[in-house]
Amino acid sequence: MKKVFILTILLSAAFSSKAQNVLSLDSCRALALANNKELLISNEKINAAHYQRKAAFTNYLPNISATGAYMRNQKEFSLLNDAQKGALSGLGNSISGPLQQAGQVIAQIHPELAPLISQLGGELVPTLNGVGESLVDAFRTDTRNVYAGAITLTQPLYMGGKIRAYNKITRYAEELARQQHHSGMQEVILSTDQAYWQVISLVNKKKLAEGYLELLQKLDSDVEKMIAEGVATKADGLSVRVKVNEAEMTLTKVEDGLSLSRMLLCQLCGLDLGTPIVLADEQMENLPLAETNTQFDINTAYANRPEIHSLELATQIYKQKVNVTRAEHLPSVALMGNYMVTNPSVFNSFENKFKGMWNVGVMVQLPIWHWGEGMYKVKAAKAEARIAQYQLQDAKEKIELQVNQAAFKVHEATKKLTMAEKNQEKANENLRYATLGFEEGVIATSNVLEAQTAWLSAQSEKIDAQIDVKLTEIYLKKSLGTLSEGRREN
C-alpha cells in the first residue's frame, strides 16, 4: 500500500509538471520571436532582398543566350523564273537547229568531217540538256523547311552608371529589410513584456483581492458575533456584507482579467490559448527593480534606433535612384558576339546542311532628343531624395522628444513607487490600529471598513507602481534602441 501511495504521488507530480509550463520573461520573448508571423514575413523579405542583390551583381557579367527557330514554308524561294528554268532545261534542243546548220556548212567545206559532225551533234544535244537541268537544280533553294539558331554574348561596357547604382540600391534594400526586421523584433519584445507584466500585475492583484476578501469575511464573522451579543447593530452587519459582495465581485473581475491576459500572452508566444502557463515572477512579493540610468546621449538613440537606420538607407536609395534616372538618358555601350547557324545554308550555294559563322561588334545607343523628359525625371527623383532627407530630420526630432518623455516617465514612476511604499506602510499601520481598536470595542465598524479599503488601495497602488516602473524602463530602452532579445531587461 505504501508503494502504491508513493507511486501515485510521483505520477501526480509528473502530470502536474507537464500540465503547467513555467515560463520566464526570456523564454516568453524567445517563443514570441520564434512564432511571430510578422517576423517570419520580414525574415523572408531579407532573403528576397539578398537574392535581388545577387541578381543585380550579375549585370556586370556577360550575358549568354541561345535562340532556335524552325519554319515550314508552303512554297520554296526560287532564284529563276519559269521561263528561265524551261530555257535551261531545253538548252540542247534550243541550239540543235543552229548546230545542224553549222554542221552542214562545215560538211560542205570538209566532206571528210561529215560523219564526225553527225555523231557529235547526236551526243551534244542531250549533254547540253543535262547541263541545263543541272543548272536548274543548282539554283533550287529548297526553303520549305528552314532551321536557324544563334548563340549571343552581350557584355555591357558602359550603361551610364545604371548597373553600379542598381547594385548599391539592392545592397541598401537588403540592409533596410534587416533594420525593419530588427524594428519588428523590438515591437514584439515590447508587446511580450507588456503582456508578461500585465499577468504578473493581475496575479498579485488576485492575491490582494483574496486577502482583502478574507479580511472582510473575518470582519463579517466578528460583527455577526457582536450582533448576537448586542454590541453591534444590524446596519453594521449589512455594511460589512455589502463590502464582502463587492470584494467577491472584484475578485471575479480580476480572475477573468487574468485569464484573458494569460490567453494574450499565449497568443504572443505562439502557444494554444488554453495552455496552462505559470510565470517565473508570480511568486515574488516585491519585483526586483534595478536602478535605471536616465542620463543618456541622444546620439546613442540615433545610432541604435532601427527607424533612423531605415530612413538613412531610404535616403541613400533615393539618391541612387537619381543616378538611375540620369543613366537612362546617357549613352550606353555594349560588346556583342554571335554564332549563327542555318539550314539551308548559303555559304556554298544552297545546301541542306547546318553551317554557321561568328561575328563580333559594338552596339552604341545615344539618346538625342526627348523634349526634356530626362531633365524632368531627374528633378522629380531629386525631389523624392529631399523628401527622404526631411523625413530623416523629422524622425530625429521626434525620437529626441520620445526619449526625453520616456526618461521623464521613469522618474515619475520611481517617485510614484516611493510614495506608494510609504502609503502602504501607513495603510498597514492604520489597519493594524483599526483592527486592534475594533477588537477592543473602541472603534466603529465603519472605521475598520475605511482602513481596510485604504489598505486595499495602497496595496493596489504599490503593485501598479512596481509594474509601471518595469514598463517605463522597457519604454526607455526601446526609445534608446537598446532593447534586446538575449538579455533580460531589469
Side-chain angles (χ1 to χ4, degrees):
M1 289 298 293
K2 290 182 178 179
K3 292 181 180 179
V4 173
F5 179 75
I6 295 173
L7 181 60
T8 303
I9 293 177
L10 291 176
L11 290 175
S12 301
F15 179 79
S16 61
S17 63
K18 291 182 179 179
Q20 290 185 337
N21 298 320
V22 179
L23 299 177
S24 64
L25 180 58
D26 289 337
S27 59
C28 287
R29 288 181 176 181
L31 287 172
L33 293 174
N35 295 289
N36 185 267
K37 300 300 184 295
E38 293 296 329
L39 290 182
L40 295 176
I41 292 172
S42 63
N43 190 59
E44 292 302 322
K45 288 182 179 179
I46 294 175
N47 293 333
H50 173 73
Y51 292 120
Q52 288 174 354
R53 180 176 64 84
K54 292 284 189 181
F57 180 77
T58 61
N59 291 324
Y60 285 115
L61 306 176
N63 184 12
I64 301 175
S65 60
T67 305
Y70 166 77
M71 183 169 58
R72 172 68 180 180
N73 296 313
Q74 179 185 6
K75 300 178 181 180
E76 66 179 43
F77 300 141
S78 178
L79 300 177
L80 302 174
N81 58 33
D82 293 339
Q84 291 171 335
K85 290 179 182 179
L88 287 174
S89 298
L91 180 62
N93 296 329
S94 62
I95 65 174
S96 62
L99 285 176
Q100 290 178 359
Q101 293 176 1
Q104 290 174 0
V105 173
I106 294 173
Q108 291 176 359
I109 298 173
H110 300 282
E112 68 277 8
L113 297 177
L116 181 60
I117 292 173
S118 176
Q119 182 181 0
L120 181 62
E123 295 178 355
L124 187 59
V125 171
T127 301
L128 291 175
N129 287 337
V131 171
E133 290 178 357
S134 65
L135 288 174
V136 172
D137 292 337
F139 278 103
R140 183 180 178 185
T141 60
D142 193 14
T143 53
R144 289 172 298 175
N145 295 304
V146 178
Y147 303 88
I151 296 178
T152 304
L153 182 144
T154 305
Q155 172 62 59
L157 299 179
Y158 176 73
M159 293 291 154
K162 183 187 298 184
I163 296 178
R164 185 183 302 108
Y166 269 131
N167 275 269
K168 289 183 178 180
I169 287 174
T170 54
R171 187 168 67 249
Y172 293 144
E174 181 181 2
E175 183 60 28
L176 178 61
R178 294 184 187 278
Q179 292 299 328
Q180 291 175 345
H181 181 73
H182 182 56
S183 177
M185 289 174 60
Q186 289 196 350
E187 292 295 334
V188 171
I189 291 173
L190 180 62
S191 299
T192 305
D193 284 15
Q194 289 175 334
Y196 182 91
W197 293 116
Q198 178 69 19
V199 172
I200 298 300
S201 173
L202 291 174
V203 166
N204 284 278
K205 286 187 176 181
K206 179 184 176 183
K207 295 178 183 177
L208 180 61
E210 290 172 347
Y212 180 60
L213 181 59
E214 289 179 0
L215 286 176
L216 289 174
Q217 288 174 344
K218 182 178 182 301
L219 179 61
D220 182 46
S221 177
D222 293 340
V223 169
E224 288 295 329
K225 293 178 181 178
M226 294 174 68
I227 292 174
E229 294 177 359
V231 295
T233 64
K234 290 185 177 180
D236 294 332
L238 291 174
S239 299
V240 174
R241 291 192 191 96
V242 169
K243 289 293 183 180
V244 170
N245 292 335
E246 291 178 355
E248 290 176 347
M249 183 62 67
T250 300
L251 178 59
T252 301
K253 291 181 179 179
V254 171
E255 289 176 345
D256 293 342
L258 179 58
S259 299
L260 293 175
S261 297
R262 289 188 191 276
M263 289 182 183
L264 175 60
L265 184 59
C266 288
Q267 188 269 330
L268 290 173
C269 294
L271 302 175
D272 186 76
L273 297 183
T275 303
I277 58 173
V278 176
L279 304 184
D281 294 323
E282 289 186 10
Q283 303 303 321
M284 292 186 180
E285 295 294 333
N286 293 304
L287 299 179
L289 302 175
E291 294 185 1
T292 302
N293 183 15
T294 55
Q295 300 298 324
F296 59 86
D297 182 5
I298 193 61
N299 292 321
T300 302
Y302 294 157
N304 294 324
R305 286 289 291 265
E307 295 90 341
I308 296 296
H309 289 297
S310 297
L311 289 172
E312 289 174 346
L313 291 168
T315 302
Q316 295 298 326
I317 288 174
Y318 279 110
K319 288 181 179 179
Q320 293 304 320
K321 284 187 175 180
V322 174
N323 296 332
V324 171
T325 305
R326 184 183 293 114
E328 292 178 354
H329 301 276
L330 294 176
S332 58
V333 183
L335 174 67
M336 298 187 66
N338 290 281
Y339 184 80
M340 298 180 294
V341 294
T342 59
N343 183 1
S345 62
V346 293
F347 302 108
N348 186 22
S349 185
F350 281 88
E351 295 180 305
N352 287 331
K353 295 181 180 180
F354 283 98
K355 290 187 177 182
M357 68 174 181
W358 57 266
N359 59 67
V360 294
V362 177
M363 182 183 69
V364 179
Q365 182 180 3
L366 179 63
I368 296 177
W369 184 250
H370 293 281
W371 302 100
E373 178 189 8
M375 179 181 64
Y376 299 142
K377 286 186 176 181
V378 169
K379 287 184 177 180
K382 288 182 177 179
E384 291 178 347
R386 288 194 295 271
I387 290 173
Q389 186 66 34
Y390 295 147
Q391 289 175 340
L392 175 61
Q393 295 174 0
D394 183 60
K396 286 185 176 180
E397 294 174 359
K398 291 181 178 179
I399 284 175
E400 183 177 3
L401 177 61
Q402 185 183 42
V403 172
N404 282 282
Q405 288 176 339
F408 176 78
K409 288 182 179 179
V410 169
H411 280 295
E412 184 180 7
T414 304
K415 290 180 181 179
K416 285 183 178 179
L417 178 59
T418 302
M419 295 174 61
E421 289 175 345
K422 292 180 180 179
N423 289 338
Q424 180 195 14
E425 294 176 358
K426 294 178 181 178
N428 288 337
E429 189 68 13
N430 184 34
L431 180 60
R432 188 175 68 86
Y433 278 117
T435 303
L436 290 175
F438 178 75
E439 291 176 352
E440 296 295 331
V442 295
I443 292 181
T445 305
S446 59
N447 292 335
V448 177
L449 292 175
E450 290 176 0
Q452 289 178 343
T453 303
W455 173 84
L456 176 65
S457 177
Q459 294 287 344
S460 180
E461 288 177 358
K462 179 187 175 183
I463 294 172
D464 291 337
Q466 286 182 328
I467 299 299
D468 197 26
V469 168
K470 299 291 294 186
L471 292 178
T472 53
E473 290 174 357
I474 295 170
Y475 297 149
L476 179 58
K477 289 180 171 62
K478 170 69 167 55
S479 63
L480 290 173
T482 57
L483 186 61
S484 62
E485 58 176 307
R487 184 181 67 255
R488 176 168 176 155
E489 309 294 339
N490 287 328

